[in-house]
Amino acid sequence: MLTNSDLVELTEFRRELHRWPEISGEEAQTAKRIVSALQALGPDRILTGLGGHGVAAVFESGQPGETVLFRAELDALPIEELTDLPWTSRVPGKGHLCGHDGHMTMLLALGRLLSRRPAARGRVVLMFQPAEEDGSGARAVVADPGFAEIAPDWAFAIHNEPGRPFGHVSTRVGLINCASRGLEIRLTGKTAHAADPEDGISPARAVAALIPVLEALGQGGALEADFRLVTLTHARIGEATFGIAPGEAVLHATLRTGEDAGMAALEEEARALASRIAAEEGLEIGFTLQDVFAASINNAEATAVARVAMEALGISHGEDGVPMRASEDFGVFGQAAKAAMLCLGPGERSAALHNPDYDFDDGLIPIGAGLFERIARDLLGGG
């Protein structure tokens, strides 16, 4: 059990992480802070540099058994924080506005509990993953040769989700977070003088035609296996001038589906539509993918383990608010392990994630750590 002293120290650590946010791929100093905190707990191994700046602490029982992984994220967001808290971000244009500072602190709290009372069998891995916000981190970690040494049988994660009662957990078997990817479409023609547009090849008509037909490919609806949504997030035609007829354009479309299999078909349709319209207008076309997220699918056994743990701890739980359209790259860990994502409520009055006035509620730290510990002990003993 965490002591009052633990909670004071962990809260201060969380707030220090909050003061110094680092965005995806830049989490070097955050990783160093995590390693320093872990070393004081005496894990059997600390792996660093996983998939970039990823850190994993391994707590061995010394007895044969399964590997249970708990994941938190290292990265912050490129958003200016607008709070007057004593621990507000000191890095201009960057902020821990998704709660990853709190998720990391939950894992460190779990590490304290394991250091005092190890599991009876198998091992526990605390995985601090980089680059969750752009979808690249989990894939990079899993592809890292070092990850093979700690490949889990079970994987669990908690994400705080505003809008739910404080301490309430939402989860379910099956889809939790949609698959998504960003498709950049670049159209290239030829510039001309604005007085003589016929001398060039403008992408303007192609952009005007593309926007409605791309959106028509996926119009949302019920979050079921066949869910599809296409959202146009950015469009630019030429330069901000009055004397030049444009010769190039860029469109950004975010594609979302309820399953990974459906994503391939949706992307293929979007590319084919864009290519046909570009050809009709005499334009060259290029595509780039960014922010690629796998669907996050909860395994039935892992979800059942989490529910048993919540019942034992008296934690309110249900299936309210899930699945979600938003994406989460934790799904990658579930492709080779029994995995479950748990959505922990900070209260209905909490600011929304990615808002400039958001801050993680430190009262969630013992709830998340306690739930993780109960899951670990239910699977590995030592309770």
Side-chain angles (χ1 to χ4, degrees), residues 84-97:
D84 56 1
L85 299 168
W87 53 89
T88 193
S89 173
R90 296 182 182 176
V91 183
K94 300 176 184 179
H96 265 299
L97 303 174

Side-chain angles (χ1 to χ4, degrees), residues 13 28-41 43 46-49 53-56 108 128:
F13 186 84
Q29 294 305 312
T30 303
K32 287 182 179 179
R33 287 188 172 93
I34 293 297
V35 169
S36 178
L38 287 169
Q39 287 171 336
L41 306 179
I46 298 177
L47 286 70
T48 60
H53 297 299
V55 175
L108 291 172
F128 298 84

